[in-house]
């Protein structure tokens, strides 16, 4: 298994809250240039006992090399 170290200075991450309704939320997480990859995750969250928990995830991964 390949181990990755810290990201470079050109790494960018962003979290967008798309929907927020009392105890449910949908967020988009974008990470750009994580060791040459770009990730876009869509997360469904549910507030359970006062804490936000990820209950579902879909994602797309793109290599900048290809």
């Amino acid at each position: 298994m390949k181990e990755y170290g810290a990201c470079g200075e050109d790494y960018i991450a962003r979290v967008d809250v798309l929907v927020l309704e009392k105890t449910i939320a949908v967020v988009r997480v974008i990470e750009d240039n994580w060791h040459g990859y770009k990730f876009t995750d869509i997360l469904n969250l549910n507030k359970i006992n006062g804490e936000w928990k990820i209950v579902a995830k879909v994602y797309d991964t793109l290599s900048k090399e290809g």
Side-chain angles (χ1 to χ4, degrees), residues 1-11 31 33-36:
M1 182 174 174
K2 185 175 181 179
E3 292 187 29
Y4 294 95
C7 294
E9 291 183 19
D10 55 350
Y11 170 76
E31 294 181 277
N33 206 19
W34 183 84
H35 302 284

Side-chain angles (χ1 to χ4, degrees), residues 19-58:
V19 177
L20 178 60
E21 295 287 339
K22 296 185 183 181
T23 61
I24 61 172
V26 178
V27 300
R28 175 178 51 213
V29 179
I30 298 172
E31 294 181 277
D32 195 8
N33 206 19
W34 183 84
H35 302 284
Y37 292 91
K38 178 177 182 173
F39 296 94
T40 301
D41 300 339
I42 303 293
L43 307 173
N44 291 337
L45 294 94
N46 198 331
K47 197 171 192 179
I48 302 169
N49 297 324
E51 293 186 23
W52 289 101
K53 305 288 183 178
I54 298 170
V55 296
K57 173 181 176 176
V58 293

